[in-house]
Amino acid sequence: MALQQLSEEQIRTWTRAQKDEWWFANIYRGDMAQLTIRSAFTGFLLGGILSATALYIGAKTGITIGVGLTSVILAFAIFKILANLGLAKDFTILENNCTQSIATAAGYMTMPLNTVLSAYMLISGTVVSWWHLVVWMSICSILGVLVAFPMKRRFINEDQLPFPEGRACGVVLDAVYTGEAASGMYKARLMAFTAMWTAIYQMITSDGWMKFIQFKILRMDKWAGMTEAWHFQERVDYYYYTAAVKYDMLIPKILGTDFRALGLRFTLDAAMLGVGGLMGIRVASSVLLGTIINFVFLAPWMIQRGDIVERIAPSGKLVPISRTEIVNQWGLWWAVSMMVVASFISLAAKPELFTSLFKKSEQKKVPDQTSTILDHIEVPLIVSYIGIPIFSILAAWTTHEFFGVPWLMSIITLPLVFILTIICANAMALTSWTPTGTLSKITQFSMGAIDSTNPANNLIPAGMTAEVASNASNLLSDIKPGYMLGAKPRQQAIGHIIGIFSGALACVPLYFLLFLPPDADGIRSTATIVSDKFAFPGAMQWKGVAELIAKGFSSLPASAITGIIVAAVAATIIELARIFTKGRFPLSAVSIGLGVILPPESCLAMWIGAAIFWWMGRKNSTPGSKGHDFWVEGCEPICAGLISGAALIGIGNAIINVLM
């Protein structure tokens, strides 16, 4: 059923009071069930599970995956099955929308863990207490929600801004509940079967799961005499290198450096196939190009020049050349230069994100008047007027107490945070693009100009900017489908706060389990955060900028400075080409930089996933055909199944290894 909406002329000429009255009379669904106990519980549970997968994928790729549509499909399928079995009433469309709001809020709670907080711990060498992380993240997120309330009335009620991602979610919900239920169940089955087969494959490749099955369940150590559990090697080139050692075969090298030292491995990573399918062939090709430039050409050359060398760790151990060393010693700098320059050019190319904030609507045909018809379902503005000062002080206090940022710098940060949050929310409203990374760099450089000696003084305030802006923008994007479907915004806002706690309580313990496991003496070390499996590209970018602010360019090799300059020029050319060709230019400078920080094996797997869906999409381009339904309409559910199946089994594998 086509969703009702105002015409462009009505949006331009009506007062907000008229628009509110029209919405209340034509869209509002009254007392239809929305924030119920079961929708809150379902959202809390799905949000926790999906945010765990988002943390896992973010640590591997630096990409924040959306969980909104996945939660819509899952919640619809769960309650449709329960209703058919007579165990529960079917979910209402507004209950599902509320569940989606909760799950989405939970999913975005992983962002600071994958970026600024990991960067802070890597630079400071300090493991931050788990409850400090939960409290700081929750306070900043709630501050973002409070900032969003006044903007909701302007951006959604009055200006009727598009919020493309939120609108897409509203359209999907409407389609599923008003005539395309079969399509919703088909996508749910696609996701479930893909996740199941992915989970089976991931289990076979997991050392912990195989150890548990072979030794604890089948007792093969007792009757078969096994001393070590077998598992399929996800890095399939392992079998070649094993044979090469045994039969004296060729070991591939570039300029004398082993492929393995360069990180050039081949891995069948199901989650990365799914991520590639979601990112598309253009972005995936740019990521792969960045990998090839850095690890096939530049890294071997810099190793030969002596700009990338083996080093002695503080413990006295020799650290051999590896992918991590290549990135940290040389590649990180040109990658960060390319990503930061490209991001700022991309932001500057959208002046409407700034100018539209100050544009006045055209002259109304009738005098404006205060709208009160929605007061009983809106969040009272007094909540923001009281809450913002309180939570601002709490955010500044926790930033000072937990991370050692001086009080003055914590307070100075706040006005900048609010200004950048408004810009970020406006960007989300117009494009569904939230430039939190770019805008937070403004805070990072501003605070670094005040004090460049302590990286925490620019990292944590910038992280506050990202967290507040992200939650404000995503709450507004979540409220948009609710507005389209006639939901109560007050209940959606409460749901978003439930999601904040769901995400924080699910992700922080998991973060410690996966990335900060205790050693034999029970001591946790930040040295375990970054590994070959988890590259933390987001954190590495934040860390690189903070170190550059603290140490200056003089601390870098001359070749790294040259790389920074060349990368900045290249990023400028690429982004200008994308702007002048209106997005048709095939390369993305940000994605090329990302390909430097990510493991090459992950970049190749993502490109393969993107290429498969691109090729099959071209072969099955006829709408309504089975191939189109599977490869095009089913792309997102299949990719979500690949990601969730691999991530959940991967998380389970880490838990088993800790317990065993």
Side-chain angles (χ1 to χ4, degrees):
M1 183 179 72
L3 292 164
Q4 295 186 69
Q5 58 183 336
L6 294 173
S7 68
E8 288 294 328
E9 183 179 355
Q10 288 169 327
I11 294 172
R12 190 172 62 251
T13 59
W14 282 12
T15 65
R16 182 158 65 86
Q18 288 175 303
K19 294 169 186 173
D20 287 350
E21 289 169 5
W22 174 86
W23 181 86
F24 190 76
N26 295 279
I27 308 297
Y28 179 54
R29 294 181 188 252
D31 291 328
M32 176 184 281
Q34 183 176 340
L35 182 59
T36 58
I37 292 176
R38 65 177 188 166
S39 68
F41 178 77
T42 304
F44 191 90
L45 185 62
L46 286 179
I49 295 171
L50 293 174
S51 64
T53 67
L55 176 68
Y56 184 90
I57 297 302
K60 288 175 77 76
T61 68
I63 298 169
T64 302
I65 59 171
V67 301
L69 290 178
T70 304
S71 66
V72 166
I73 294 171
L74 286 175
F76 170 78
I78 290 169
F79 280 91
K80 179 63 71 176
I81 293 169
L82 291 177
N84 291 338
L85 295 174
L87 299 176
K89 290 183 179 180
D90 203 357
F91 239 22
T92 70
I93 190 171
L94 295 188
E95 282 182 302
N96 197 322
N97 175 236
C98 203
T99 294
Q100 174 257 328
S101 294
I102 296 170
T104 303
Y108 279 103
M109 289 300 288
T110 63
M111 187 187 68
L113 291 171
N114 282 329
T115 54
V116 63
L117 294 175
S118 293
Y120 170 79
M121 286 190 264
L122 288 170
I123 285 180
S124 67
T126 303
V127 176
V128 181
S129 168
W130 71 268
W131 71 269
H132 283 180
L133 298 180
V134 170
V135 170
W136 184 81
M137 288 165 56
S138 298
I139 288 173
C140 292
S141 299
I142 293 172
L143 180 58
V145 172
L146 292 167
V147 172
F149 292 159
M151 289 192 287
K152 183 264 178 186
R153 302 185 187 215
R154 160 75 191 275
F155 288 169
I156 294 178
N157 293 39
E158 183 169 356
D159 292 346
Q160 302 275 314
L161 295 180
F163 287 94
E165 186 176 317
R167 179 168 180 79
C169 193
V171 170
V172 169
L173 274 165
D174 180 66
V176 166
Y177 280 88
T178 59
E180 295 185 22
S183 174
M185 287 303 297
Y186 174 71
K187 291 180 179 179
R189 285 194 296 271
L190 269 184
M191 187 188 303
F193 279 114
T194 305
M196 180 184 71
W197 288 111
T198 303
I200 292 171
Y201 165 74
Q202 198 69 30
M203 197 171 287
I204 293 171
T205 66
S206 300
D207 59 339
W209 281 107
M210 289 294 97
K211 192 187 305 178
F212 178 74
I213 292 170
Q214 293 169 33
F215 290 169
K216 296 298 182 180
I217 297 178
L218 300 179
R219 298 288 181 180
M220 295 177 72
D221 55 331
K222 304 294 184 185
W223 58 269
M226 290 179 61
T227 57
E228 187 174 343
W230 172 89
H231 67 93
F232 179 73
Q233 295 291 334
E234 197 174 48
R235 276 180 170 166
V236 292
D237 60 2
Y238 162 85
Y239 297 106
Y240 174 82
Y241 285 113
T242 301
V245 171
K246 186 175 182 180
Y247 300 110
D248 195 26
M249 296 164 60
L250 175 69
I251 300 295
K253 296 180 180 179
I254 300 177
L255 297 180
T257 303
D258 193 317
F259 268 32
R260 289 167 291 182
L262 294 168
L264 299 175
R265 311 295 302 268
F266 181 69
T267 304
L268 289 176
D269 191 328
M272 295 302 97
L273 295 176
V275 172
L278 291 177
M279 69 168 45
I281 189 66
R282 285 192 176 189
V283 173
S285 296
S286 294
V287 169
L288 185 61
L289 178 61
T291 284
I292 293 171
I293 291 172
N294 191 68
F295 293 99
V296 176
F297 294 105
L298 296 180
W301 182 23
M302 292 305 116
I303 292 170
Q304 193 178 60
R305 280 173 50 94
D307 287 344
I308 301 173
V309 296
E310 294 181 336
R311 62 182 181 86
I312 304 298
S315 61
K317 292 177 62 177
L318 179 68
V319 181
I321 293 173
S322 65
R323 183 201 67 83
T324 303
E325 289 299 310
I326 290 169
V327 172
N328 285 337
Q329 291 187 35
W330 201 87
L332 177 66
W333 307 112
W334 79 265
V336 168
S337 171
M338 180 159 273
M339 287 191 283
V340 171
V341 170
S343 296
F344 276 117
I345 291 174
S346 180
L347 182 64
K350 297 182 174 69
E352 68 275 10
L353 301 183
F354 305 91
T355 58
S356 63
L357 290 171
F358 307 103
K359 284 182 178 177
K360 297 290 185 181
S361 299
E362 291 187 15
Q363 186 66 36
K364 313 290 186 194
K365 288 188 176 179
V366 296
D368 202 357
Q369 50 191 288
T370 303
S371 177
T372 59
I373 195 171
L374 304 184
D375 284 355
H376 65 295
I377 58 173
E378 291 276 17
V379 177
L381 291 180
I382 190 66
V383 173
S384 289
Y385 298 152
I386 295 175
I388 288 175
I390 293 173
F391 276 84
S392 295
I393 293 171
L394 286 173
W397 177 77
T398 53
T399 297
H400 169 70
E401 288 293 322
F402 298 169
F403 303 101
V405 178
W407 260 107
L408 181 60
M409 295 192 70
S410 299
I411 297 296
I412 289 174
T413 302
L414 292 171
L416 192 56
V417 167
F418 297 141
I419 293 169
L420 298 179
T421 296
I422 294 171
I423 296 171
C424 191
N426 196 48
M428 169 66 91
L430 296 174
T431 66
S432 278
W433 172 54
T434 50
T436 50
T438 310
L439 295 175
S440 60
K441 294 295 178 287
I442 295 175
T443 309
Q444 196 170 2
F445 284 118
S446 300
M447 296 302 105
I450 297 173
D451 180 8
S452 62
T453 59
N454 183 3
N457 291 350
N458 66 71
L459 270 176
I460 301 303
M464 189 193 305
T465 299
E467 188 70 348
V468 173
S470 174
N471 274 274
S473 303
N474 287 300
L475 173 62
L476 293 172
S477 187
D478 283 346
I479 286 178
K480 178 65 177 184
Y483 184 84
M484 294 164 58
L485 300 169
K488 298 174 181 175
R490 186 181 301 179
Q491 294 192 10
Q492 282 188 279
I494 295 170
H496 193 94
I497 293 174
I498 292 172
I500 287 171
F501 290 111
S502 169
L505 293 175
C507 291
V508 171
L510 182 61
Y511 179 89
F512 275 77
L513 177 68
L514 290 177
F515 314 122
L516 290 170
D519 61 16
D521 298 321
I523 299 172
R524 302 180 191 273
S525 168
T526 59
T528 60
I529 294 176
V530 177
S531 64
D532 284 341
K533 189 172 183 180
F534 298 105
F536 275 92
M540 295 300 291
Q541 183 186 357
W542 282 71
K543 174 176 174 284
V545 172
E547 288 180 337
L548 196 60
I549 292 171
K551 298 177 182 178
F553 288 98
S554 60
S555 63
L556 302 179
S559 61
I561 297 174
T562 302
I564 288 172
I565 296 170
V566 172
V569 173
T572 303
I573 294 171
I574 291 170
E575 287 308 304
L576 289 177
R578 281 168 57 85
I579 292 166
F580 288 125
T581 60
K582 298 182 178 179
R584 290 191 296 272
F585 190 72
L587 297 179
S588 162
V590 173
S591 300
I592 291 172
L594 183 62
V596 177
I597 302 174
L598 285 172
E601 57 200 299
S602 296
C603 297
L604 179 59
M606 287 190 290
W607 184 85
I608 291 172
I612 290 171
F613 281 98
W614 170 74
W615 178 251
M616 296 307 295
R618 290 189 62 180
K619 288 185 65 176
N620 299 276
S621 58
T622 305
S625 65
K626 287 186 177 180
H628 188 272
D629 288 343
F630 185 88
W631 290 105
V632 180
E633 296 296 327
C635 174
E636 186 163 332
I638 292 171
C639 292
L642 287 167
I643 291 168
S644 58
L648 293 175
I649 293 300
I651 292 166
N653 188 66
I655 295 172
I656 289 172
N657 279 325
V658 170
L659 295 177
M660 292 185 63

